[in-house]
Amino acid sequence: MPDIQKKNIPQNIPTNYGALSTLVTVFFFWGFIAAGNSIFIPFCKHYFHLDQFQSQLIDFAFYTAYYIGALGLFAFGSFGGKDLVGKWGYKKSIIYGLLFSALGAAAMIIAVNANTFSGMLFGLFIVALGFSLQQTAAQPFAISLGDPSTGTSRVNLGGGINSFGTTIGPIVVALALFGTTAAVTDDQIAQLSLSKVIVLYIGVGGLFIAAAALFNFAKKVPSGILVETTEKANKALYTLLIMTGLLVIMFVPVFNSYKTDLQQTSETDILLMNAYRMKWLLGALAIVVIGLLNANISASKNSSGWGAMKYPQLVLGMLAIFVYVGVEVAIGSNMGELLKQKTFGGKQASEATPYIAMYWGSLMIGRWAGAVSAFNLSKQTKLLLQFIVPLLAFIIIIAVNTIAHYDMKPLYYYVVCVIIQIAAFYFSKDKPARTLMIFGALGVLAMIIGTQISGTIGIYALLSGGLCCSIMWPCIFNLSIAGLGKYTTQGSAFLIMMILGGGIIPPIQGKLADVIGIQQSYWIPVICFAYLVFFAIAVKGILKKQGINYDDNNVSSGH
């Protein structure tokens, strides 16, 4: 374990609300674009004749880019001897990331015009590379814009705006593609022309450029340049490069397998192909888990050369981010297929949309509640708002989708799940480790119920996975970078790499669904939530040994 002395954390630093209000705009874009994939996936599945696994390659390309982008930043900094994000500053890093995402939108336009699925995946990959740079800068930037003790709440505020983008994203995308906010049918998706997709990404590219201009000319946003130098982290770099090489070996056969023509493939060959894909995907998962655990063990024996990875809270947090993003995306991406089953109502795409909207909206509900603490309010006002705000968010989700002509009546009683979440917030007492443990345990329980019970109760249980996930990102992020000091930006890049989980875990669940059925495939989220409970318990003890006690001061970092 690294030799770390107790941290003297500065308290009562006023929040820079002007900079924070500008910063949260990029959080909106991440949610808006990611949610747009919920319509893009079924379109590609029909247009290119893909199975459930193949359609998940969209998530694979999108979330793998986060890993590659953050690794590239770290590798460049290691070889060049300078932290690029620290050198550029948080502000310029976000601007560059937005412009890079605009290039990705242009690549998407070219690929769509060429009518190639591989090209579309590449375009999404470029968009997400820009997101990787933005997120590496934005997360610690939000924490730095005020008192570290309220850092979790500021990230939650950004997450709440992100979730609002996620909530309205599918509706706006449907309007752009189909010219209506009414429920999109399977026939409409089947008849969608590629020219409409081109128009969509022209608009997306324009929004990226506009956001970059907003940041560039916003005088209240500080540069966020870091002047501290960090030691070389050759061991961490070599470990991650070896992991990356092995992951490429695992991913290539998985990626190439999408070219199989399912219409001309026998049932026996499809079963063999399922086993083939699952083998490589599980191999990729094993590489990440074993590689990180080995790094943690090695760094505890000799911390020299490991950089930020000498901190056990970071390494275990990297695996926690990997698992969290994976489970969040997997639940939502496989939800449409689940709702097609007769035991879950046999719903078509248009009928399933309100449920998928409520899942992503559940993330907004929790994050809005968690964002209350970002503001300087009395204890009584805060408690009152933590009850009112989630219910208000629930009403907004119902209203927005009702305006979009979706039938939300079957989801009215989902408010019971929201009330359970509100109770969990009160028990968590704004303490990140405790919050993560409680919500992780609720996630385990909800997913088990979802695998055993069909119908409305089963649907509500699986949808509530969104409520459980809603506050996990800021908790994991803050717990993981607590006490890192000059290694904070490097640690942030490592955590962003682990968004890779969104590219591995959903396809694993999708492929498991092809083998044992979509409902039973939700045992994958059960395992993911169980690890998050373990992390919450373990990290609390790790930080205590380093002189950081969240039970006493709710500290969020070691700046």
Side-chain angles (χ1 to χ4, degrees):
M1 180 173 293
D3 181 19
I4 305 169
Q5 296 179 348
K6 290 188 177 183
K7 308 295 176 182
N8 294 318
I9 311 297
Q11 301 292 315
N12 301 319
I13 301 173
T15 299
N16 185 338
Y17 288 110
L20 184 61
S21 62
T22 304
L23 177 61
V24 296
T25 58
V26 297
F27 283 79
F28 174 84
F29 283 114
W30 303 333
F32 181 87
I33 300 301
N37 289 347
S38 65
I39 288 180
F40 197 56
I41 286 173
F43 162 69
C44 288
K45 185 175 182 179
H46 180 274
Y47 191 87
F48 295 102
H49 306 293
L50 309 176
D51 65 13
Q52 182 65 11
F53 163 76
Q54 292 167 335
S55 69
Q56 299 299 304
L57 288 175
I58 291 173
D59 282 335
F60 173 86
F62 193 79
Y63 291 99
T64 300
Y66 280 93
Y67 177 86
I68 299 299
L71 176 61
L73 284 173
F74 170 56
F76 189 91
S78 294
F79 288 125
K82 290 184 179 180
D83 177 357
L84 271 184
V85 173
K87 178 184 176 182
W88 291 338
Y90 294 138
K91 180 177 179 178
K92 283 189 176 179
S93 295
I94 292 172
I95 293 171
Y96 295 156
L98 286 164
L99 293 176
F100 203 81
S101 291
L103 289 177
M108 274 293 294
I109 294 169
I110 295 172
V112 171
N113 191 55
N115 194 21
T116 166
F117 182 55
S118 296
M120 293 180 189
L121 294 178
F122 177 74
L124 284 173
F125 182 85
I126 299 299
V127 169
L129 277 180
F131 283 7
S132 176
L133 175 55
Q134 294 167 45
Q135 290 223 28
T136 299
Q139 306 294 337
F141 197 16
I143 294 171
S144 71
L145 291 176
D147 195 321
S149 67
T150 56
T152 299
S153 301
R154 285 190 295 280
V155 178
N156 254 327
L157 178 62
I161 300 299
N162 173 278
S163 295
F164 181 66
T166 303
T167 300
I168 69 170
I171 296 173
V172 175
V173 170
L175 179 62
L177 294 180
F178 305 104
T180 178
T181 59
V184 178
T185 65
D186 292 340
D187 289 339
Q188 284 177 297
I189 291 175
Q191 296 171 11
L192 178 65
S193 66
L194 292 180
S195 62
K196 292 287 187 68
V197 180
I198 292 175
V199 172
L200 171 66
Y201 278 93
I202 289 175
V204 167
L207 287 174
F208 286 140
I209 294 173
L214 174 65
F215 251 85
N216 186 57
F217 295 110
K219 295 181 180 180
K220 292 183 178 180
V221 179
S223 63
I225 295 175
L226 302 178
V227 295
E228 288 185 288
T229 57
T230 57
E231 302 165 10
K232 288 189 175 182
N234 293 332
K235 291 180 182 177
L237 177 61
Y238 296 148
T239 296
L240 291 169
L241 288 177
I242 291 171
M243 284 174 56
T244 303
L246 293 174
L247 285 171
V248 169
I249 293 172
M250 298 293 166
F251 287 159
V252 168
V254 172
F255 185 80
N256 286 337
S257 69
Y258 91 85
K259 298 176 182 177
T260 303
D261 188 348
L262 295 178
Q263 295 178 328
Q264 300 179 9
T265 305
S266 69
E267 186 174 340
T268 301
D269 287 339
I270 289 176
L271 290 174
L272 291 173
M273 185 169 59
N274 287 342
Y276 172 79
R277 290 168 172 168
M278 181 65 78
K279 175 181 68 175
W280 292 107
L281 284 168
L282 290 176
L285 178 63
I287 286 168
V288 173
V289 175
I290 295 173
L292 291 178
L293 293 180
N294 180 66
N296 185 36
I297 294 171
S298 299
S300 66
K301 295 176 181 178
N302 181 5
S303 63
S304 177
W306 283 101
M309 288 183 74
K310 67 186 176 183
Y311 294 86
Q313 67 266 35
L314 176 69
V315 178
L316 294 179
M318 289 170 68
L319 187 54
I321 288 288
F322 177 90
V323 166
Y324 154 70
V325 176
V327 71
E328 177 187 291
V329 177
I331 294 173
S333 294
N334 288 285
M335 184 67 68
E337 186 67 21
L338 176 85
L339 294 171
K340 288 182 180 179
Q341 309 308 306
K342 289 184 179 180
T343 53
F344 285 89
K347 298 173 177 61
Q348 292 188 353
S350 58
E351 297 170 312
T353 298
Y355 295 86
I356 296 173
M358 183 57 73
Y359 172 73
W360 293 112
S362 294
L363 296 171
M364 184 179 83
I365 292 170
R367 288 168 181 169
W368 279 25
V372 170
S373 296
F375 302 95
N376 187 19
L377 304 169
S378 67
K379 184 177 180 179
Q380 291 78 10
T381 303
K382 187 182 297 183
L383 289 174
L384 180 62
L385 287 178
Q386 284 184 334
F387 180 78
I388 294 175
V389 168
L391 295 177
L392 177 62
F394 174 74
I395 292 171
I396 289 173
I397 294 165
I398 293 290
V400 167
N401 286 278
T402 299
I403 291 171
H405 306 291
Y406 290 112
D407 181 13
M408 300 300 289
K409 292 179 182 177
L411 288 162
Y412 285 173
Y413 291 106
Y414 184 68
V415 71
V416 174
C417 297
V418 176
I419 292 173
I420 292 173
Q421 186 203 46
I422 292 171
F425 263 116
Y426 282 118
F427 283 112
S428 67
K429 298 180 179 179
D430 277 341
K431 294 173 180 172
R434 183 171 181 169
T435 300
L436 184 60
M437 181 181 66
I438 291 174
F439 280 81
L442 286 175
V444 171
L445 178 61
M447 295 302 105
I448 291 176
I449 292 173
T451 62
Q452 302 304 307
I453 301 177
S454 301
T456 301
I457 293 177
I459 292 173
Y460 279 14
L462 295 176
L463 288 178
S464 69
L467 295 172
C468 297
C469 287
S470 62
I471 46 71
M472 287 184 169
W473 173 276
C475 291
I476 297 169
F477 208 98
N478 286 9
L479 288 165
S480 300
I481 66 173
L484 266 60
K486 63 183 180 181
Y487 292 102
T488 297
T489 301
Q490 188 182 99
S492 175
F494 289 161
L495 291 171
I496 297 302
M497 286 181 202
M498 292 299 102
I499 292 178
L500 173 69
I504 294 179
I505 292 178
I508 287 178
Q509 184 177 344
K511 184 44 56 192
L512 189 62
D514 290 334
V515 177
I516 67 173
I518 189 69
Q519 183 178 8
Q520 294 308 309
S521 74
Y522 276 83
W523 279 103
I524 295 293
V526 172
I527 296 171
C528 292
F529 280 122
Y531 173 76
L532 294 170
V533 174
F534 162 78
F535 172 73
I537 296 171
V539 75
K540 184 176 178 181
I542 290 170
L543 293 177
K544 259 191 173 181
K545 291 180 180 179
Q546 298 176 14
I548 304 173
N549 192 336
Y550 275 79
D551 284 342
D552 290 341
N553 52 29
N554 201 23
V555 174
S556 66
S557 83
H559 290 180

